[in-house]
Amino acid sequence: MNNMKPLKTLGVAACFVAAAMTASQAAARTANQTKFPIVFAHGMAGFDDILGYDYWGDDYGTYVLDACDKFLEVNCNGGINDNQRSYVSQVTPFESSEVRGHQLANNIESYMATSGTSYVNIVSHSQGGIDSRKAARLLRERKGYRVVKTHVSVSSPHRGSPVAKYILDHYANRVTETLANYFGNIVYNNGNDAIAGAKQLVFNDYDPNDGVTTGMKAFNQKYPVSSTYMEHSASLMTAQDGSGVNPALWLLSELIYDIDGDGYCYEDCNNDGAAGQGDGNPNERDDDGLVGINSQQQGYRLQYYECFGCLDYVWERTELGYVSDINHPNSTQATSSTYVINQDHLDVIGVGPDTFDEMEFYAAITDYIADRGH
């Protein structure tokens, strides 16, 4: 994908700054180029932006895989190979993953036709991680072979989000209005169904009497973490507590609902909307403001390491095991904070204010996928 900005006229001072940045970037290697393109799959409320910020950008709106392939280019990611290919998918911001996953599959198939690629990798955030599993299955069925090589989900509620159920329970007649307070008027655009989107993110079928089976439990059974559809699956997990949390998420936890997201149970034993249960203490780093750590792992857990002066790293950690039965992780996978990134749900995409370096984060993910040969 080429998201280059026009090269602006630079003064003498700006040229020195650009040269210094180029020298600094040269000291650290760029991420290896992936063999197959990376497709980005956004979460709920996303499209090309979220809350006025570029979804797949840094806090200044620069696309995270925008390589510095122009002379003295400044608004770019110096950690990305000039030839890296990527594609940003856009689906309906508020809808079920049955709908959004179908749209994602269509988008990927169209991109494959125009780009000439036969395979893709997917990097997803939040609900995008759920959509990706349906898309992978549809692509396998349509093409007759496994299209998706590596899928990395970031902060995804694979086993539900208590916030979604709380909104449905307490704001049943004004779900759309409530979500609009957080995400803006985009929720009122044609094609959006905020109630369907919220029901998707509850573990059990929210209303067994409405004639439609919803929820993550049934969805996970239909669209599992399976090598039949995706060659490899992995997760980057997030959790944060205290003053560092995004102001909107902090107010949510303080005034509306604070997730207790690190207790184990076979399914949703406390009926909070997510598989597992709390450990009795919601006031700790057990969620990222919207998703508990007991909901986020699919496949292997990944570790993110920030390296000063060099390219950041993403490692696959196998000691916690591989989550293939997405509805039933073991107790350690559901409760351990090992390798959980100390960031909230919005820090890892282009929503500020924060000090998180989205450019280095996605360069490290790109390098991890490339090192797998994908």
Side-chain angles (χ1 to χ4, degrees):
M1 177 176 178
N2 189 357
N3 279 37
M4 300 295 105
K5 281 75 177 172
L7 187 65
K8 297 181 179 178
T9 302
L10 297 174
V12 175
C15 285
F16 280 115
V17 172
M21 290 182 65
T22 301
S24 174
Q25 291 165 353
R29 72 174 181 88
T30 59
N32 290 318
Q33 179 188 355
T34 61
K35 184 176 182 180
F36 307 108
I38 292 175
V39 173
F40 285 100
H42 66 77
M44 178 181 282
F47 199 76
D48 54 353
D49 62 56
I50 180 171
L51 299 173
Y53 295 86
D54 286 352
Y55 200 105
W56 298 109
D58 64 6
D59 291 350
Y60 305 100
T62 301
Y63 175 54
V64 293
L65 293 197
D66 187 353
C68 298
D69 57 356
K70 305 294 183 184
F71 180 65
L72 294 181
E73 186 176 10
V74 176
N75 296 324
C76 55
N77 188 345
I80 296 300
N81 186 288
D82 290 355
N83 297 311
Q84 178 61 48
R85 294 177 295 163
S86 63
Y87 166 70
V88 175
S89 172
Q90 297 177 344
V91 300
T92 302
F94 294 91
E95 248 297 358
S96 71
S97 286
E98 287 284 1
V99 172
R100 286 165 48 107
H102 187 271
Q103 293 173 345
L104 177 59
N106 290 346
N107 291 347
I108 292 174
E109 195 167 24
S110 295
Y111 172 70
M112 292 171 65
T114 57
S115 67
T117 187
S118 297
Y119 301 95
V120 298
N121 303 294
I122 301 178
V123 174
S124 61
H125 174 250
S126 194
Q127 189 181 355
I130 302 166
D131 305 339
S132 296
R133 287 190 276 114
K134 171 164 183 173
R137 175 172 173 172
L138 289 180
L139 290 167
R140 173 67 176 81
E141 292 170 348
R142 293 174 184 178
K143 297 291 188 180
Y145 65 91
R146 185 176 53 196
V147 170
V148 179
K149 289 293 188 176
T150 293
H151 173 216
V152 176
S153 69
V154 181
S155 312
S156 290
H158 293 291
R159 287 172 287 281
S161 168
V163 174
K165 186 172 187 298
Y166 186 90
I167 290 173
L168 288 166
D169 286 348
H170 294 85
Y171 302 93
N173 296 322
R174 46 196 177 99
V175 170
T176 302
E177 176 187 347
T178 301
L179 291 173
N181 289 336
Y182 280 91
F183 297 114
N185 290 332
I186 187 174
V187 70
Y188 295 112
N189 291 351
N190 290 336
N192 285 306
D193 188 337
I195 293 176
K199 286 182 176 181
Q200 175 66 71
L201 302 183
V202 177
F203 182 72
N204 290 313
D205 186 358
Y206 185 76
D207 184 358
N209 299 315
D210 66 359
V212 180
T213 300
T214 62
M216 292 310 308
K217 181 179 178 180
F219 187 92
N220 291 341
Q221 292 168 344
K222 191 173 182 181
Y223 308 107
V225 177
S226 170
S227 59
T228 301
Y229 310 123
M230 298 179 177
E231 185 170 325
H232 190 72
S233 299
S235 315
L236 284 157
M237 300 166 57
T238 51
Q240 194 170 44
D241 188 42
S243 60
V245 176
N246 181 280
L249 297 180
W250 183 85
L251 288 173
L252 177 69
S253 66
E254 294 298 313
L255 302 179
I256 300 178
Y257 189 85
D258 191 1
I259 297 172
D260 188 357
D262 61 349
Y264 173 73
C265 193
Y266 189 68
E267 291 188 351
D268 184 3
C269 297
N270 60 349
N271 196 34
D272 70 346
Q277 61 183 357
D279 65 354
N281 181 15
N283 299 311
E284 57 183 349
R285 195 174 75 91
D286 59 6
D287 67 271
D288 65 8
L290 291 176
V291 187
I293 63 174
N294 55 12
S295 189
Q296 294 185 40
Q297 186 175 346
Q298 60 140 19
Y300 282 120
R301 192 175 297 199
L302 301 178
Q303 179 183 10
Y304 173 56
Y305 175 74
E306 297 179 78
C307 179
F308 181 75
C310 59
L311 185 70
D312 291 355
Y313 293 94
V314 167
W315 284 292
E316 189 169 281
R317 309 305 305 219
T318 60
E319 59 264 41
L320 294 178
Y322 190 90
V323 176
S324 56
D325 184 353
I326 195 74
N327 281 331
H328 304 117
N330 64 41
S331 60
T332 302
Q333 293 162 344
T335 62
S336 174
S337 60
T338 303
Y339 311 126
V340 173
I341 304 168
N342 187 26
Q343 299 294 331
D344 67 43
H345 197 77
L346 300 177
D347 286 341
V348 290
I349 54 174
V351 178
D354 63 69
T355 59
F356 188 69
D357 193 332
E358 293 89 356
M359 295 300 209
E360 296 219 12
F361 180 63
Y362 288 100
I365 294 174
T366 300
D367 196 58
Y368 162 74
I369 295 172
D371 287 349
R372 291 196 55 78
H374 294 169

